[in-house]
Amino acid sequence: MVEVTDLVRQYGDRAAVDHISFQLEEGRIYGLLGPNGAGKSTTMKLLTGCLFPTEGSITIAGYDLLQEPEAAKKCIGYLPERPPLYGGMTPKEYLAFLAEVKGIPKGRRRSEVDRVMEQTHITHMGGRLIRNLSKGYAQRVGIAQALLGEPRLLVLDEPMVGLDPGQIIEIRNLVKELGRTHTVLFSSHILAEVSTVCERILILSAGKLIASGTAEELRSKAQGQDVLQVTAACPLEQAKSLLEGVEGVERAEFSQTEAGQCQILLYSAPGTEIQSSVLGRLYEAGCKIVEMRGRSMSLEDVFLSLLSRSEEEPEGRKGA
């Protein structure tokens, strides 16, 4: 459905998107994940033809976006992070206007507007001014305009941003519904959104694609199947001095609990047993171990581990 090859977008000396390549299969929901400034919005603007790449190619449903932009863009529905909604219009007026702008034949416009309003569950709001809608319903109007013309690919930039918890659940469920009939790519920096909705995840960091796959595949790529969680009755600084240098520990996190105990998370290298070394160091220093247990890596653990590794890799190896 979508093929991106060696895509680059340069701003002066800075690469906002740095030689990324990926494919999106028909009928799947993909999440574009990364911290703020990772290049998510720039990537989406390139995919929808709102920006031209410095290098690389994008193919949408067999059409080259640079060589055949009109044909390619007919296959795309786009919700930008800040959708251009006109507050003085009703949803029905706004969608009818955009149906005309998108070149939908006059005889089909009314039925097309009715279809996307029904699909996004805003039919009962069709006569209200957009400025008087809740943020959640306004976002639905933005998604409805992206659906005009029956595009095969939906590109949604931060569709849940600024919504309250109830509205997030509503939009999340709507995206799942749309995934049954469309290929969907949506961006977020919130792990819970991506892990709940998406079948596959693409992770960006500093403009580079550092990993992609299902949540389980990403756990494997992180190469750390377990996290050792330790609670010790000792000062924070003492725990850091004792455990930061343990062989096989790739990353360590330390925090103080309200009870004054030290909470420690140790991420080990693949196939490395660190429990005995940790136990020995704490015991010899006279630190009482309140709890020690292993647990599987969460998606958040994987995300942080992959970001950490990408930042530590030599410049020439990033994105490999």
Side-chain angles (χ1 to χ4, degrees):
M1 176 61 195
V2 178
E3 185 166 352
V4 174
T5 306
D6 211 23
L7 193 63
V8 178
R9 174 64 189 195
Q10 201 85 20
Y11 290 105
D13 296 332
R14 185 179 72 87
V17 173
D18 194 355
H19 295 91
I20 66 173
S21 299
F22 59 86
Q23 294 180 340
L24 306 182
E25 298 177 5
E26 187 92 37
R28 289 181 177 269
I29 302 177
Y30 292 84
L32 190 60
L33 181 65
N36 290 329
K40 301 187 298 298
S41 290
T42 301
T43 299
M44 291 191 151
K45 288 174 182 176
L46 291 167
L47 279 176
T48 53
C50 296
L51 286 176
F52 288 102
T54 306
E55 299 176 29
S57 66
I58 302 168
T59 302
I60 310 288
Y63 301 106
D64 187 299
L65 186 57
L66 294 179
Q67 302 299 322
E68 304 169 275
E70 187 173 345
K73 288 180 181 181
K74 284 183 179 179
C75 301
I76 304 167
Y78 178 40
L79 173 72
E81 185 176 356
R82 296 180 180 85
L85 301 177
Y86 302 137
M89 286 183 170
T90 66
K92 184 169 283 191
E93 291 169 341
Y94 172 71
L95 293 169
F97 166 67
L98 285 183
E100 182 179 355
V101 170
K102 290 188 176 188
I104 295 172
K106 189 173 182 179
R108 284 185 50 216
R109 288 174 200 161
R110 178 176 293 180
S111 62
E112 184 67 4
V113 168
D114 290 342
R115 181 187 68 82
V116 299
M117 289 181 67
E118 183 178 351
Q119 197 168 3
T120 53
H121 311 295
I122 58 171
T123 302
H124 62 298
M125 295 289 180
R128 297 191 184 184
L129 291 178
I130 291 174
R131 73 163 70 99
N132 296 329
L133 297 179
S134 69
K135 174 71 174 174
Y137 275 112
Q139 197 73 321
R140 286 173 182 266
V141 176
I143 295 173
Q145 64 79 27
L147 287 167
L148 288 168
E150 300 185 90
R152 295 170 62 183
L153 171 67
L154 286 178
V155 179
L156 311 176
D157 192 357
E158 299 277 5
M160 286 88 155
V161 70
L163 303 182
D164 65 37
Q167 293 167 339
I168 287 175
I169 293 172
E170 291 174 1
I171 298 299
R172 187 185 291 163
N173 290 336
L174 175 58
V175 171
K176 286 181 179 179
E177 285 181 30
L178 295 173
R180 296 172 188 158
T181 52
H182 300 78
T183 299
V184 180
L185 174 67
F186 83 89
S187 70
S188 179
H189 60 277
I190 301 174
L191 286 160
E193 293 176 8
V194 173
S195 60
T196 302
V197 177
C198 298
E199 299 169 65
R200 301 187 70 83
I201 301 167
L202 311 170
I203 300 180
L204 288 180
S205 176
K208 294 181 180 291
L209 182 65
I210 61 171
S212 64
T214 65
E216 287 305 315
E217 288 170 346
L218 292 177
R219 285 189 179 94
S220 177
K221 288 179 182 180
Q223 297 183 339
Q225 296 303 306
D226 296 300
V227 182
L228 186 62
Q229 183 172 315
V230 183
T231 303
C234 64
L236 188 67
E237 292 304 317
Q238 183 183 16
K240 285 184 178 181
S241 64
L242 289 170
L243 300 179
E244 280 186 330
V246 173
E247 185 177 353
V249 173
E250 290 195 332
R251 185 163 58 90
E253 297 176 6
F254 300 87
S255 60
Q256 199 85 41
T257 68
E258 292 182 1
Q261 297 172 337
C262 187
Q263 187 78 50
I264 307 157
L265 295 177
L266 301 172
Y267 301 82
S268 60
T272 304
E273 197 283 315
I274 63 172
Q275 186 166 331
S276 57
S277 297
V278 171
L279 185 63
R281 289 195 180 200
L282 292 174
Y283 179 78
E284 289 174 7
C287 295
K288 180 182 177 182
I289 299 173
V290 179
E291 181 184 30
M292 178 181 286
R293 61 186 177 90
R295 64 173 174 83
S296 298
M297 292 184 77
S298 67
L299 186 58
E300 184 174 4
D301 294 329
V302 172
F303 179 55
L304 293 173
S305 177
L306 290 169
L307 287 181
S308 176
R309 286 171 185 231
S310 73
E311 291 168 358
E312 292 170 359
E313 285 179 357
E315 188 64 30
R317 292 187 58 198
K318 286 187 179 182

